[in-house]
Amino acid sequence: MVQLLFCTINYLNKPLRKRVVKMENLDVLFRPLPNRNIDHWDREWDLFSPFWEAARSGKLIVQECTETKKKVWPPRFVSPYAPGAELEWVPIKGIGEIYTYNIVYRGFFPYYKDKVPYALVVVDLGEGIRMLGNTVGMDPTKVHCGMRMEVAFEIVNDEITLVNWKPSERG
């Protein structure tokens, strides 16, 4: 078990608060994850919050313009298709084709040192929606454009569920 001291520093380089975190596995500490802690943000909103909530329950959602019925991703405050229209969250099928990809051979974070190579893919879900994610359940060197993929949710902890992609079993 390792004890780590974290110190939050303000813009004047003065310590604000200190906390000790006990870690058994340091690789988990260095895993890059979406930051759901908004203590350091000076805002009352989080555009991605409904998306992460749905992902935790195994659903893939995007915004839809109520006037044009066109899908919107990433989330926005105003519809790019009809600026006066509302945006609502709607479920979508998590099946699409690889639009582009990158195979990573060098782990820049300690967490990835034993996980290379891995593939990052942009999956075209149709209706103008493309999402980025890691591939799972396959040899990353076999990835190619046009490959059919489906969503695969990875539960990291109670707060975070990641959206990954695996080869589609339906074609």
Side-chain angles (χ1 to χ4, degrees):
M1 171 113 25
V2 176
Q3 289 189 358
L4 301 171
L5 174 66
F6 288 93
C7 183
T8 306
I9 298 175
N10 68 8
Y11 68 96
L12 297 174
N13 212 19
K14 305 268 190 215
L16 293 176
R17 68 176 177 221
K18 294 179 182 178
R19 63 186 169 114
V20 175
V21 176
K22 295 179 181 179
M23 298 291 296
E24 291 188 26
N25 182 357
L26 285 180
D27 283 349
V28 173
L29 174 67
F30 296 109
R31 182 177 187 183
L33 293 169
N35 188 352
R36 305 271 336 262
N37 179 2
I38 60 171
D39 287 346
H40 64 282
W41 292 95
D42 186 21
R43 64 182 186 198
E44 294 291 322
W45 49 268
D46 182 4
L47 281 173
F48 284 87
S49 196
F51 173 78
W52 293 120
E53 297 298 323
R56 267 205 315 263
S57 61
K59 297 176 185 153
L60 194 61
I61 62 172
V62 297
Q63 288 178 317
E64 180 180 77
C65 175
T66 56
E67 191 171 309
T68 64
K69 300 300 182 196
K70 290 185 178 181
K71 306 293 189 272
V72 178
W73 183 259
R76 301 180 186 168
F77 287 113
V78 178
S79 171
Y81 306 110
E86 295 287 320
L87 292 170
E88 63 183 4
W89 289 94
V90 296
I92 60 170
K93 292 180 182 177
I95 298 173
E97 294 182 354
I98 294 178
Y99 174 75
T100 189
Y101 66 93
N102 182 41
I103 301 174
V104 180
Y105 290 95
R106 183 174 174 196
F108 289 98
F109 289 95
Y111 175 80
Y112 288 109
K113 71 181 178 184
D114 299 329
K115 295 178 177 25
V116 291
Y118 63 91
L120 294 171
V121 294
V122 175
V123 177
D124 188 336
L125 299 168
E127 300 185 75
I129 303 297
R130 293 181 181 150
M131 284 192 183
L132 175 71
N134 290 336
T135 57
V136 293
M138 65 174 298
D139 178 358
T141 61
K142 305 292 186 209
V143 169
H144 59 85
C145 288
M147 184 176 195
R148 297 284 297 162
M149 302 295 277
E150 65 184 65
V151 70
F153 295 101
E154 176 190 352
I155 300 169
V156 176
N157 57 38
D158 291 341
E159 290 290 316
I160 299 173
T161 298
L162 299 177
V163 175
N164 293 319
W165 300 96
K166 66 179 182 177
S168 179
E169 297 173 4
R170 300 175 206 156

